[in-house]
Amino acid sequence: MGKYDNVEGIARRTMILFFLIDTSNSMSGTKIGEVNDAIEGVIPEIKEISSSNADALIKIACLTFSTGVKWMYPNPVDVNDFKWSYVNAGGMTEMGKAFEVLNEKLSRNEFMAEVAGSYAPAIFLLSDGAPTDEYKDAIEKLKKNNWFKYALKAAVAIGDDADKDMLATFTGDEELVLTAHSPEALRKVIRFVSVTASKIGSKSSVSAQTTNAKQDDFAEQITEFNSDLIDSQNDNW
Amino acid sequence: MIDLKRNERIQIKNGSKAEVIQKIGEGGQGAVYKVHYAREDYAMKLYFPRAIKKKNEFYSNLENNIVNGSPNESFLWPLYITEMKNGTFGYLMRLRPAGYEDFSKILTAKVQMNSDMAIINAALHLVNAFKDLHSKGYSYQDLNDGNFFINPENGDVLICDNDNVAPYGQNVGVDGKSRYIAPEVVTGKSRPNVHTDRFSLAVVLFMLFFRGHPFEGAKTASHCCLTEQLEKEYYGVHPLFCYDPKDESNRPVRGIHNNVIRLWNMYPRYIQDAFIKVFTAGIKDVNERLTEREWTNILLRYRNSTIKCSCGCYNTFEDETQAKLTCADCGTEINRPLVLTINKNKIFLYPETRLYTYQIEDSQDLFQEAGMVIINKANKSLWGLKNLSKRGWIVEYSSGEQKSVPYGGVLFLLKGTKIFFGNEYSGEIN
Ligand SMILES: Nc1ncnc2c1ncn2[C@@H]1O[C@H](COP(=O)(O)OP(=O)(O)OP(=O)(O)O)[C@@H](O)[C@H]1O
Ligand SMILES: [Mg+2]
Ligand SMILES: [Zn+2]
């Protein structure tokens, strides 16, 4: 009936939100249960952020690592069509392997092949332990990957056994490593980090003077959230 | 920040307490709640403590805006301010009524505008709102796809986030989104002001009409990762209009920018020219950016010459010299209908064409209808203009015969007819 009958959505970039999840044996029980439930629960919110966003749409990619690594789906999935499939825990903590395959996928020949282009991704690492494999080379390589450099990165240490220094090497900033001492805290962290990363990562940048305003804004919000979290937590795992 | 709870009470400055009903949503700077205050429901925006840098300045600017009042009814203007508490505060505004959709949802095609006429009217409402805002000495500073709502049925517009609005020459420290803000703000050479508003207004109008971005094309598409550095380049340092007549290197790309490619040529030359002016010369020279008045004139010309084919599709005559057009949808050939000239307005009289109050009396209201072209039920080739205005009209047919047309009455559309609108306004049909 008019000019706009066949109108498409405006050309949008894509922002991929990566979850890197430790599914080693120590994660069994409430930890992995809470991770599953919290991520599943935040997906509708991310869907909303994506659907009312004319700058970028959000896709989700999830990599689990234990003895070996596994992508939940072969390619990143539009959050609109994304279904969380429950992950189980068991095995070693081959985080080095996870860094390696992440590095492979952060390439324009792999996950970053969107026709309309992308914004830098957001990458969220969740772990309760330390790598059981050789990870140093892998993380060094990853840190040279430009997609990784520009990415919004955060990590959550689940309980006190997590290797926080290593997580800080991953995020590049210890302020971006949050610690969850209880299932409630873990749920809050997952929600806050996922939503904040989605909002900031999927929007055209602000007109500020710097060229890493998104990372700065992200760091600032995470830091503020973290100080509230520390005040409110008691140990519970 | 922890969410407010239902029934929590917030002290309004110089007033009683507002009661929280529920959270509506949250954005970068704060959260919005539905609240009850003084026997009415309102939306309350409450800032995150970290979000506002110069709190006192921001607070008093907001207070000032409340005192000065809304420039026109298109704004969800701040009405009451809360007391400052725990390093934060907020303000009350009207709730968005049902039927108004986020502009971003229209852009993502989650919501469709009801008709091309609703799109034209949305553009006019936006321009009109900015005209009134600027004529009060304000600038808006942060126009983007997240800051206004459109009613897809009729094109009504509501603008929210009026908290950065500031008097001429001042600003309260907002950093807008690169994709929407003027190049000189992206590069940090200027703070937002009236001229940067006019740039953003043109960006938003372009997006409303063409469903794409004026500076996105082959150049921007060549980068698989749009880093912040590149955003600065393409929206700030070297923005290149995708239809720049002198430089084709950033043309829309088939497969990515399909809308722009299809829709650009469906608009008349004078509309294309307006965008070309703002997005080429207007990048550097703020005086090349169209004023709201200029946009209004262009959009009214467009609305006056847009007719509705019997299939429902709207089509536009470039000017009166165009003898006919082919309906863009059903392919019917439509001969140029009679045109009613009232001062500068040339109104193409086709069934369902509206006459508006501003055309026949001294009025700023661009939307109130004063007449409509109708088809005679018994003889479909006979068209008439129905008087829907408050005044009686006098008609003088070319035969010399005179007739009065009261409210609800109809005059025949015949060449050479003069209409006197009961005041100093008159027009002629040709
Ligand atoms: N007057 C209102 N009535 C109803 N809903 C509103 C009103 N104002 C804002 N909202 C809604 O509240 C939510 C949050 O709005 P808000 O303006 O805080 O966020 P934003 O525009 O996403 O971000 P920012 O803080 O950068 O402006 C949005 O979903 C918005 O549509
Ligand atoms: Mg807003
Ligand atoms: Zn038709």
Side-chain angles (χ1 to χ4, degrees), chain A residues 1-13 48 50-56 80 108 112 114-121 147 150 191-192 195 199 203-215 217 220-221 224 228, chain B residues 1 26-27 50 53 104-105 107-110 112 116 119 145 175-181 185-188 207-209 211-212 220-221 223-229 231-232 256-259 262-263 266-267 302 311-314 329:
Chain A
M1 234 184 44
K3 301 185 187 73
Y4 293 85
D5 286 356
N6 302 315
V7 80
E8 304 171 1
I10 186 170
R12 297 196 276 172
R13 299 209 164 237
E48 184 54 33
S50 177
S51 79
S52 61
N53 181 346
D55 297 337
N80 219 14
R108 69 180 306 172
M112 315 316 274
E114 298 296 334
V115 182
S118 302
Y119 284 131
W147 291 100
Y150 292 121
R191 183 187 164 265
F192 188 82
V195 167
K199 275 189 188 158
K203 289 242 162 101
S204 170
S205 66
V206 298
S207 58
Q209 289 295 324
T210 71
T211 48
N212 41 15
K214 286 187 180 185
Q215 288 180 339
D217 187 16
E220 192 184 341
Q221 295 203 33
E224 187 197 71
D228 290 352
Chain B
M1 198 175 77
E26 71 177 50
R50 64 166 169 76
K53 303 285 181 246
S104 53
K105 290 210 166 146
L107 290 176
T108 55
K110 298 278 185 296
Q112 303 292 340
D116 293 9
I119 294 176
D145 61 327
D175 291 316
K177 274 163 81 174
S178 306
R179 215 177 172 207
Y180 296 87
I181 215 83
V185 182
V186 175
T187 55
M207 294 174 103
L208 173 67
F209 287 146
R211 306 301 166 89
T220 51
H223 298 277
C224 57
C225 182
L226 195 70
T227 59
E228 291 183 41
Q229 185 105 43
E231 284 200 81
K232 292 231 171 336
I256 302 176
H257 310 110
N258 295 342
N259 292 336
R262 210 170 52 83
L263 292 164
M266 292 190 176
Y267 277 82
Y302 181 53
C311 77
C313 178
Y314 285 90
D329 195 41

Side-chain angles (χ1 to χ4, degrees), chain B residues 26-29 32 45 140 142 144 146-148 160-161 163:
Chain B
E26 71 177 50
Q29 294 190 307
V32 175
K45 175 138 184 172
Y140 185 80
D142 185 25
N144 67 53
N147 288 346
F148 62 99
C160 64
D161 281 351
D163 43 3

Side-chain angles (χ1 to χ4, degrees), chain B residues 382-395:
Chain B
L382 213 54
W383 297 350
L385 178 62
K386 186 170 185 172
N387 181 356
L388 300 174
S389 77
K390 290 185 291 276
R391 284 197 188 78
W393 302 343
I394 305 289
V395 166

